Amino acid sequence: MSQYNIVKTPLKVGIVGTGYAAARRAEAFNASPHTQLVGVSGNTPEKTTTFGNTHHVKTVSSWQDLINDKEIDLICVSNVNSLHGQIIKEALLADKHIIVEYPLTINSSEAPELLNLAKVKRKLLHIEHIELLGGVHQAIKQHIFKIGNPFLASYETILSKPKVAPHWTYNYHDYGFPLIAALSRINRFTDLFGEVATVSCNARFWDAPESGYFSACWCQAQLMFKNQVGVNITYGKGDKFARSGRVLTIYGDEGVLLFEGEKGKLIQGDKVTDLEVGSRRGLFTQDTELILEHLLNDAPIYTTNRHSVYTLQVANAALESYKSKQTLSISN
């Protein structure tokens, strides 16, 4: 017996959002024989109309109207972070299955309620974490045993944006704290190294001319895992950075894994081996196909909500550390 209340295929799908992730989802749903994309709602009428024309789907004036459409079986939440929790709760109450781009919510205290509601309603609630499907992470998992016992890691992602127009990803309220919004930066390490013992975090923000917006920010968190692996995570974006970059390094007692962008190396003493790293293209489609197979045929899924919510707890501790200027312990 399935853990979900299933309807007949094709599943009728509605998307909340009109950005990059929403567009990739629309392409995946339109390509799947198991789904029919029937509606989209967005923040601005112009962008929503363009999205509807591009992906051949009707536009709906609000996300409330979309989730209350009795024809729709599944809602894909791909819009501003600040609304995720509210939309998911109301969609579950309206008996919809849900796919949501991380984070589940920017308020970690409401996460258990959302998971429990999905269980009570016997509805799918899938939190996307395509960083776990990506080429870099898969290469790490394939080769990490070759560096012996890992003891230190660092991950720096910087996005240079010389001209920052008002956008929700630079809005204090809609985006949320950067390490919660960019949850994948922490999640790949909780996937690799397990439970976190302590968190400390610093951050800086530059206000934009428009009220409620920032033009640049950086956050830096230090995680000490219970297995004694130390991880430094740096995330920055905006108009204060002269260049973009993405560098991930894992040190072990027998070698080093180094990834600069999509190029990976295994360093063992004087021996340097180039690693094959898969493309980042197509990950939203891969995630969509996997979760539909899980929903319809009970196939195993690559991540769990419990793991995502644990990582959200760690990210929230980073926020509290930044505010309190103290190192915080993570409780079970």
Side-chain angles (χ1 to χ4, degrees), residues 192-241:
L192 291 170
F193 302 133
E195 293 184 348
V196 176
T198 62
V199 178
S200 61
C201 182
N202 289 292
R204 182 179 177 183
F205 298 84
W206 287 263
D207 288 339
E210 299 82 8
S211 177
Y213 290 85
F214 59 93
S215 65
C217 72
W218 63 258
C219 293
Q220 192 168 66
Q222 291 77 43
L223 312 181
M224 177 56 73
F225 284 78
K226 291 184 178 180
N227 61 4
Q228 296 301 301
V229 176
V231 175
N232 298 304
I233 297 172
T234 303
Y235 175 75
K237 66 178 184 177
D239 61 5
K240 296 299 181 183
F241 296 95

